[in-house]
Amino acid sequence: MAEMAYVKANAVLPEELVAEIQKYVQGETLYIPKAEAVRKKWGECSGTRKWIDDRNSSIRNEFTDGNTIEQLGMDYCLSIETIKKIVYSK
């Protein structure tokens, strides 16, 4: 896991905003998360999300081609319930 870099509030925030924040917290470490629009979703950085999406697409295609849910479960080492969720979702 990457270490967080700390930035002094006085170096990046207007003095008035620092004074307002100090009304709530002083001398503590404060984490400000990224905006939702900027935040990456789980697995996007590592490529895991793409791998799972590709796997699920293959499962759906094989199901459409006639493979049974039980066979897909054995082939992909997934439970029958997981295979059902994959093949019956959009």
Side-chain angles (χ1 to χ4, degrees):
M1 189 159 174
E3 288 189 34
M4 291 186 165
Y6 295 99
V7 178
K8 289 190 173 213
N10 292 346
V12 294
L13 300 175
E15 191 175 310
E16 305 81 37
L17 183 53
V18 172
E20 187 65 26
I21 293 170
Q22 285 173 330
K23 291 179 183 177
Y24 300 93
V25 63
Q26 294 183 27
E28 299 290 332
T29 302
L30 184 65
Y31 174 73
I32 301 173
K34 289 182 179 182
E36 195 68 35
V38 179
R39 191 177 306 159
K40 292 192 179 211
K41 294 180 181 173
W42 177 89
E44 285 183 349
C45 292
S46 66
T48 304
R49 176 80 270 155
K50 182 180 177 345
W51 182 86
I52 289 174
D53 289 343
D54 291 345
R55 179 203 66 189
N56 291 353
S57 180
S58 294
I59 290 170
R60 282 188 207 94
N61 290 338
E62 289 183 36
F63 180 71
T64 301
D65 290 343
N67 285 343
T68 66
I69 289 175
E70 292 77 11
Q71 184 61 49
L72 292 169
M74 287 189 292
D75 291 348
Y76 287 91
C77 299
L78 295 171
S79 72
I80 290 173
E81 290 306 312
T82 299
I83 296 293
K84 285 180 181 179
K85 287 178 188 175
I86 293 168
V87 298
Y88 296 130
S89 68
K90 285 190 172 186

